[in-house]
Amino acid sequence: MGPRKENQKPMGEKHHLPFPEARFGLPARRDNAVRDVREARGNSERQQQQVLTMLNSLQQNFTSLLQVVTNRLSYDKTKEAAFDRLYKEMEDLKVDQELNQLRPLYIDLILLIDRMNTIYNDKLDTGNRNPELVNILQTLSHEVLEILYRRGVELIVAPSNKFDPRIQQVVEVIPTKHPAEDGTVVHMVRHGFKYKDVVLRPEEVVIKKYHG
């Protein structure tokens, strides 16, 4: 037999060297996978938290904006009501000032109409119907009424034949035994006039009064 080689392995024996990755690689990969899962879960949780924070911020901003809009609408309504009230007061003050300044002129024009009507009625009562004089009186009366109308002064027109103390004044009372006739206007003595909603002179009337 020849010399035995020290490095020669006996036949039939198989020796497998352990692969490093078999001892160290697999556990390392498993740890990396776990770490990746945890990191992914952490990232997901952080993203969810960020989304929730953003939603909360948006909700707060929306609530603040809604409050601002509500306050503004309330302010606008209050301001509009205040301006309407101010305009109404200014208009009433303007009407009062105009009326105080022009009332004497209006009353003089109304008295002029009364004089012309008195002359007209006197001529009718005496039978002296001068067509030319009647025409002049009627024309002048209508012109003065037109002047007053342009200034906001109008004749008072009663809504019914029942006495209305707001726009009428009783100058004569005729007794009646019929209850249904109580307060009925029988005759108008003088016309009434108003300036817008203010009575310059009430309508003077004769009414019936029930006496049982």
Side-chain angles (χ1 to χ4, degrees), residues 120-184:
Y120 177 78
N121 291 328
D122 289 342
K123 293 299 181 181
L124 292 180
D125 292 340
T126 59
N128 185 10
R129 291 193 174 186
N130 187 331
E132 184 177 355
L133 179 60
V134 169
N135 184 49
I136 292 174
L137 291 174
Q138 289 179 340
T139 301
L140 288 176
S141 179
H142 290 161
E143 288 181 355
V144 175
L145 284 174
E146 181 64 24
I147 292 173
L148 289 173
Y149 180 77
R150 292 177 182 176
R151 296 283 184 172
V153 180
E154 300 178 76
L155 284 169
I156 291 177
V157 179
S160 66
N161 64 343
K162 285 291 185 180
F163 172 68
D164 188 347
R166 296 173 299 177
I167 58 175
Q168 294 174 326
Q169 178 181 355
V170 177
V171 295
E172 185 180 352
V173 175
I174 298 176
T176 179
K177 295 183 179 180
H178 302 284
E181 295 179 347
D182 186 57
T184 301

Side-chain angles (χ1 to χ4, degrees), residues 184-201:
T184 301
V185 176
V186 179
H187 177 65
M188 180 186 65
V189 179
R190 287 203 308 178
H191 287 289
F193 291 85
K194 65 178 181 178
Y195 175 74
K196 297 183 178 179
D197 293 330
V198 180
V199 176
L200 291 175
R201 187 182 75 181

Side-chain angles (χ1 to χ4, degrees), residues 2-186:
R4 182 179 178 182
K5 294 181 180 180
E6 294 294 334
N7 294 331
Q8 188 175 1
K9 299 178 183 178
M11 294 298 293
E13 294 184 5
K14 292 182 180 180
H15 297 278
H16 298 282
L17 292 178
F19 293 97
E21 60 270 21
R23 294 183 58 188
F24 305 104
L26 290 180
R29 291 177 181 176
R30 187 179 298 110
D31 292 341
N32 290 337
V34 172
R35 185 171 61 252
D36 292 342
V37 170
R38 290 178 179 175
E39 289 180 355
R41 183 178 299 170
N43 292 334
S44 177
E45 291 178 353
R46 283 193 297 271
Q47 290 177 356
Q48 291 179 0
Q49 187 64 34
Q50 290 175 356
V51 171
L52 290 176
T53 303
M54 183 180 65
L55 290 177
N56 289 333
S57 178
L58 289 176
Q59 183 178 8
Q60 292 176 358
N61 292 336
F62 178 76
T63 302
S64 301
L65 179 61
L66 181 61
Q67 185 64 37
V68 169
V69 173
T70 302
N71 293 338
R72 183 55 187 250
L73 290 176
S74 177
Y75 170 77
D76 290 344
K77 290 181 180 179
T78 303
K79 182 178 69 174
E80 183 178 357
F83 277 119
D84 290 343
R85 184 168 61 254
L86 178 61
Y87 292 150
K88 179 66 167 56
E89 292 176 356
M90 291 177 62
E91 186 66 23
D92 293 342
L93 180 61
K94 179 181 178 181
V95 171
D96 293 340
Q97 290 178 344
E98 290 179 355
L99 183 58
N100 290 333
Q101 293 175 358
L102 298 174
R103 182 189 289 269
L105 174 61
Y106 294 156
I107 295 299
D108 287 342
L109 292 175
I110 291 172
L111 292 176
L112 176 60
I113 294 174
D114 290 341
R115 293 189 187 99
M116 288 188 290
N117 287 335
T118 299
I119 295 173
Y120 177 78
N121 291 328
D122 289 342
K123 293 299 181 181
L124 292 180
D125 292 340
T126 59
N128 185 10
R129 291 193 174 186
N130 187 331
E132 184 177 355
L133 179 60
V134 169
N135 184 49
I136 292 174
L137 291 174
Q138 289 179 340
T139 301
L140 288 176
S141 179
H142 290 161
E143 288 181 355
V144 175
L145 284 174
E146 181 64 24
I147 292 173
L148 289 173
Y149 180 77
R150 292 177 182 176
R151 296 283 184 172
V153 180
E154 300 178 76
L155 284 169
I156 291 177
V157 179
S160 66
N161 64 343
K162 285 291 185 180
F163 172 68
D164 188 347
R166 296 173 299 177
I167 58 175
Q168 294 174 326
Q169 178 181 355
V170 177
V171 295
E172 185 180 352
V173 175
I174 298 176
T176 179
K177 295 183 179 180
H178 302 284
E181 295 179 347
D182 186 57
T184 301
V185 176
V186 179

